[in-house]
Amino acid sequence: MTRAEVTIAIASEDLVRHYARMGERNARRLLPRLWPCVALLALAACSTPPDPISQPSGSGAICMPASVRPVTEGETVLRNTGSAPVVITNVVLRNAQGIKLVDTRVFVFPDVGAYNLIGALNHYPPATGPTNGTSDVIPWSAGSAVPGAVLPADTQMLANVVVGLRRNSGGTGRSDGLDVYYTSAGVDYVYHGQVAIELSDGPCS
């Protein structure tokens, strides 16, 4: 039982004992009026704030020719709208078939209104990180490994999640997208990326 459930249970029992002392007839008449208040208390206790990183509102797909060497997928960008820093603890491929993740880097930089994500490349690792503004190239060495990358509680900061991917079997490898696991203020969350990934053993159709 959670702390909220314990509080509600104690409040409910206290109400019953208090009004029962007024007499059975009065208690039966008054208690039905009080249950809506208890229900409202339960709803307030069970409500939860939104995730610090909002789930994507749309979906997409990307296909990359991949022979034997790793390729780069760096389309994921995150913004922390919460009141505490976000610590990225893991990045995994969701429903992966014939594809594996070989490395992850996270680049955190200020949103100056113009930036270029690393995007999709036919090799890994890239020569540099994303471009912030019109000319400031972030060095690849500035990327943080996972776990441990931190996105501050600042809506003017962004995180570009970049992964190296490789086909691990013959034919085409697929995944429904990237799942980014993170913690904030002691609570665990998962961001479910909605960009499906396909690594083809030939030209993409």
Side-chain angles (χ1 to χ4, degrees):
M1 182 177 289
T2 65
R3 182 180 299 176
E5 291 170 337
V6 170
T7 301
I8 294 168
I10 293 173
S12 302
E13 292 173 3
D14 288 345
L15 287 171
V16 171
R17 286 195 294 267
H18 175 73
Y19 285 101
R21 288 196 294 268
M22 296 175 59
E24 184 178 354
R25 181 177 300 175
N26 287 338
R28 288 178 178 175
R29 185 175 67 251
L30 292 173
L31 282 175
R33 302 178 186 177
L34 296 171
W35 291 122
C37 297
V38 175
L40 289 174
L41 178 61
L43 288 174
C46 294
S47 62
T48 57
D51 290 359
I53 298 175
S54 299
Q55 298 294 338
S57 58
S59 61
I62 185 170
C63 175
M64 291 179 283
S67 53
V68 293
R69 63 182 183 179
V71 296
T72 300
E73 201 287 312
E75 302 287 345
T76 301
V77 61
L78 309 174
R79 189 189 304 270
N80 180 8
T81 60
S83 58
V86 156
V87 180
I88 298 176
T89 57
N90 200 11
V91 176
V92 301
L93 290 167
R94 187 172 65 256
N95 297 330
Q97 298 179 357
I99 181 177
K100 66 178 180 180
L101 191 152
V102 297
D103 189 31
T104 304
R105 289 289 183 270
V106 178
F107 296 85
V108 177
F109 54 91
D111 181 4
V112 296
Y115 55 85
N116 292 316
L117 304 179
I118 290 181
L121 302 172
N122 63 0
H123 60 277
Y124 187 89
T128 67
T131 301
N132 187 21
T134 57
S135 60
D136 294 334
V137 177
I138 300 173
W140 177 253
S141 60
S144 299
V146 174
V150 177
L151 180 56
D154 184 346
T155 58
Q156 297 304 308
M157 298 296 290
L158 301 173
N160 185 193
V161 179
V162 183
V163 296
L165 304 173
R166 185 198 299 269
R167 288 192 302 114
N168 61 359
S169 64
T172 298
R174 295 180 176 84
S175 168
D176 290 344
L178 292 179
D179 281 349
V180 180
Y181 290 77
Y182 64 96
T183 63
S184 182
V187 181
D188 296 327
Y189 300 90
V190 184
Y191 170 89
H192 299 290
Q194 297 300 313
V195 176
I197 302 167
E198 181 175 300
L199 299 188
S200 174
D201 59 351
C204 292
S205 57

